[in-house]
Amino acid sequence: MTAPPKLLIFAGSTRRNSLNGRLAQAAADLALASGAEVTLLELADLAIPMYQGDLETEGMPADVMRLKQILFAHSGWIICSPEYNGSYPALLKNTIDWATRPVKSDPAWADGLKPFSGKVVGVLSASPGALGGLRAQSHLVPLLIALQCWVAPKAFALSRAAEAFDADGGLIQDAHRQSVRGVIDQVLFAAGRLAPTPGAAETASRTQFSK
Ligand SMILES: Cc1cc2nc3c(=O)[nH]c(=O)nc-3n(C[C@H](O)[C@H](O)[C@H](O)COP(=O)(O)O)c2cc1C
């Protein structure tokens, strides 16, 4: 039997009490409750500098290698993005940019797209504003597609997010929980078919139209 897809969830914010961090935690709780295998990644736990080519020439930072391995090991991802000036924040761009860099010293990581290609990604966002970070999603989705990810058709933007969580970090409104669950369900459904195992992700991205 094929193992169920592993789900990676992370927020594009390292701020204490981040709304997107809270949304990521709520999504992880919902996914766990539905029986998924979940990794909740805190970008604050990775020491990843601002990208600069000279740093890369000196050697890929250890935590960039860790990040690549974590991304590769999960066939489905949920990204919770803040919105900064109508787009996604520099932290998310910097994290993704580093993860796309080929590793010259290691042939196993010579393909910069290896962590991304064939992954199924659900996009969530949270903002105190009325649009809930929807405009960040409109920039993030084309980036993910350019990196050969499959983006789930369902997405969710949590507006007025500062009032959306209870004291335990759960989403107060059932409608919000349903929306997050809808994205998770699509990611798990598609990841199970498009990229059932990390090793199969590469194969699937090469062969899915040849059957
Ligand atoms: C530089 C900057 C730009 C921002 N631009 C937007 C914006 O365009 N739209 C929006 O809804 N919120 C905007 N905000 C407010 C963020 O949504 C808010 O700070 C949010 O809490 C950030 O996400 P986090 O709580 O996950 O860290 C901006 C905040 C900063 C610091």
Side-chain angles (χ1 to χ4, degrees):
M1 206 177 91
T2 312
K6 289 167 71 175
L7 189 62
L8 176 68
I9 303 181
F10 61 96
S13 172
T14 55
R15 192 174 72 82
R16 277 192 305 277
N17 218 19
S18 152
L19 297 170
N20 288 276
R22 282 191 263 170
L23 184 57
Q25 180 67 64
D29 292 342
L30 290 168
L32 282 167
S34 67
E37 190 182 337
V38 179
T39 302
L40 184 60
L41 173 67
E42 294 278 353
L43 294 185
D45 291 341
L46 297 172
I48 295 183
M50 183 59 72
Y51 180 82
Q52 208 267 24
D54 294 336
L55 286 177
E56 184 186 343
T57 306
E58 288 162 18
M60 202 60 84
D63 275 1
V64 172
M65 293 308 305
R66 238 179 101 206
L67 172 69
K68 280 173 167 286
Q69 281 154 0
I70 293 168
L71 295 174
F72 182 67
H74 295 79
S75 48
W77 310 344
I78 300 283
I79 302 178
C80 301
S81 179
E83 179 172 285
Y84 281 6
N85 295 310
S87 189
Y88 55 86
L91 170 70
L92 213 43
K93 183 70 163 68
N94 187 59
T95 303
I96 291 173
D97 285 346
W98 268 113
T100 62
R101 298 305 297 155
V103 184
K104 292 194 176 64
S105 59
D106 186 348
W109 295 97
D111 178 0
L113 293 188
K114 176 172 171 169
F116 295 87
S117 186
K119 302 301 183 187
V120 179
V121 187
V123 176
L124 306 179
S125 59
S127 143
L131 294 181
L134 201 57
R135 293 175 302 167
Q137 295 188 14
S138 74
H139 289 192
L140 182 57
V141 167
L143 170 65
L144 294 168
I145 291 172
L147 298 176
Q148 300 180 7
C149 295
W150 299 92
V151 178
K154 280 190 185 174
F156 175 58
L158 180 65
S159 55
R160 311 282 179 226
E163 294 95 54
F165 299 95
D166 61 26
D168 297 325
L171 286 163
I172 294 168
Q173 291 189 31
D174 188 48
H176 292 164
R177 290 195 295 275
Q178 297 275 15
S179 297
V180 172
R181 220 181 270 122
V183 177
I184 292 168
D185 287 349
Q186 278 197 336
V187 170
L188 292 173
F189 172 85
R193 283 150 185 80
L194 295 168
T197 65
E202 288 180 312
T203 314
S205 69
R206 283 197 302 270
T207 60
Q208 53 221 349
F209 295 119
S210 64
K211 290 180 182 163

